[in-house]
Amino acid sequence: MTSPPSGRSGVGTDSPFSPWRIFVVTLGLLLLVLLVSIQLLQEKFGSQSKLWKFTAVTLGIFCLALLTTAGFLAAQVTQQQEVSPSPLPKPSHNTISKTGCDWDPCPGDWIGFRNSCYLFSNDTKNWRDSKIACATLNSSLLWLDNQEELDFLGLFSHPAWTGLYRNGPHSSWQWEDGTAFSIHGITIQEKQPEGNCVFQRTDFLYYYNCEILIGFTCKQRTH
């Protein structure tokens, strides 16, 4: 099977003390210091001084570079936040009885539904590494048989890679085993134009950059 093309790596989390926040705040303080310095230099040397003009231009370029860097970092973090993972809740016993969800006869943390077992992993990996992780567990990245299965998976709200991918923007969607994607009523929505790998969030599918780090879902048949 041909692996999908690579994209950008994901960016870390958005906690109040994350490195990007500290960096952006630092840039803001530096910008403030530079603006004050420009004002002080103007008062000292006068706006017609050659030294003043040279210093003002240099500091202006530096300020512009700082703002550009801060904007780039903010955009990267925003992109990752769109698919940032959240803890996985286990369904209640009421949910189990209503949906047919059960842990038996599935092993460990796997959850059973309609003759299949599912492992909802909070480990964040890109699409390719997620596929490898499932393979080591004698399973595959999630594939779908019908709309009912997607409705069940919608109980788990975290974004997770599926086994659905394409080889390029103009290629057809297919599962890991090469089977073409064709389930009536299910569409794949755009999350990023150049995306070639599909993740599932609630009961929707989105295509996205294959290198973004999110959770994944493994699936295996019970018999």
Side-chain angles (χ1 to χ4, degrees), residues 58-134:
T58 302
L59 292 178
I61 293 174
F62 189 46
C63 288
L64 182 60
L66 289 177
L67 289 173
T68 302
T69 302
F72 175 77
L73 287 173
Q76 290 291 303
V77 172
T78 299
Q79 180 191 64
Q80 181 64 17
Q81 281 182 310
E82 291 177 351
V83 291
S84 59
S86 56
L88 280 174
K90 283 192 174 182
S92 65
H93 290 293
N94 288 335
T95 301
I96 291 173
S97 62
K98 289 179 181 178
T99 63
C101 170
D102 199 352
W103 277 265
D104 294 324
C106 299
D109 293 330
W110 293 69
I111 297 173
F113 178 77
R114 302 289 192 268
N115 301 321
S116 293
C117 292
Y118 305 84
L119 178 66
F120 303 95
S121 177
N122 272 324
D123 292 338
T124 55
K125 300 179 183 294
N126 61 27
W127 188 87
R128 186 175 292 102
D129 289 342
S130 298
K131 181 180 68 170
I132 294 172
C134 289

